[in-house]
Amino acid sequence: MTSEPRPRLHADEPVTIAGGSVNPAKHAAVERAVAAYFLRATVEAVDVPSGVPAQPRGDEETARGALRRAAQARLTLDADLGLGIESGVVEGPGGKLYVVAWAAAIDRAGVRAFGGSERFPLPAEVAQRVRAGEELGPVIDDLLGSPGTARHAGAISLLTAGRRDRTDMLTIAALHALAALLEVWRGGFSRD
């Protein structure tokens, strides 16, 4: 049984991309990742549910939320590709709670791929509150005394004294998901 090769997109072809969140940090990450691969892309953000709890726990649940956002966004906007991003927490080395982000990309044929970002540990006092059931964003907002951290610089900015921000981290996940979906190693994505 031979399977037909799926049509492949190329960097210089027009493409429409649906981003599965209107969160400014997530939308900026989608735009950055798309710009790294496509010369003529139209990116539109749409508010779609993740289908997972507000504070995803573990890699599987977090990645599932990203995929749901990607698939729903692609369908809602009838786009060539859907790209969804979800942040979550996961237990890790040294008894620490880590923040992770997963991105998922899906095309019209239903082919999907995932990409992850780096992980970073939460301070014990933050981890304790998140383990007790609080959502990370509001915990960080409480510590900073200002709302909206998750929509902008994120916990990573606080914990690195501004050396990294949430969009940086989410862009990495989105780049990895697109690279896997587009199979950039096969060619067609040189920006020369």
Side-chain angles (χ1 to χ4, degrees), residues 1 18 27-28 35 53 60 83 92 102 120-121 123 137 147-148 155 160 163 174 176 180:
M1 183 166 145
H27 182 64
E60 291 296 325
L83 190 56
W102 282 96
F120 63 92
T160 64
R163 288 168 177 83
H176 293 165

Side-chain angles (χ1 to χ4, degrees), residues 17-106:
I17 313 264
S21 176
V22 295
N23 176 301
K26 290 182 180 183
H27 182 64
V30 168
E31 286 185 326
R32 284 185 192 174
V34 167
Y37 291 115
F38 295 102
L39 298 169
R40 299 189 298 162
T42 301
V43 179
E44 189 172 340
V46 61
D47 191 19
V48 294
S50 68
V52 298
Q55 181 58 75
R57 295 179 184 279
D59 288 315
E60 291 296 325
E61 185 171 77
T62 306
R64 190 169 57 247
L67 179 59
R68 172 77 184 264
R69 286 184 187 278
Q72 290 298 312
R74 200 211 67 71
L75 285 171
T76 299
L77 299 179
D78 191 30
D80 296 313
L81 298 175
L83 190 56
I85 302 172
E86 194 69 31
S87 296
V89 294
V90 60
E91 296 291 339
K96 300 272 186 180
L97 188 64
Y98 290 77
V99 175
V100 64
W102 282 96
I106 189 166

Side-chain angles (χ1 to χ4, degrees), residues 94-176:
K96 300 272 186 180
L97 188 64
Y98 290 77
V99 175
V100 64
W102 282 96
I106 189 166
D107 67 14
R108 287 187 184 277
V111 177
R112 60 190 187 174
F114 295 92
S117 71
E118 75 267 22
R119 297 162 188 248
F120 63 92
L122 291 171
E125 65 191 84
V126 174
Q128 180 180 11
R129 289 177 62 178
V130 173
R131 284 181 176 125
E134 291 185 64
E135 189 179 341
L136 177 59
V139 170
I140 296 296
D141 290 351
D142 182 48
L143 290 173
L144 288 176
S146 64
T149 305
R151 297 183 58 79
H152 301 288
I156 194 167
S157 181
L158 170 68
L159 299 175
T160 64
R163 288 168 177 83
R164 299 276 291 168
D165 69 26
R166 188 168 192 231
T167 301
D168 293 337
M169 191 175 98
L170 301 178
T171 299
I172 292 167
L175 283 167
H176 293 165

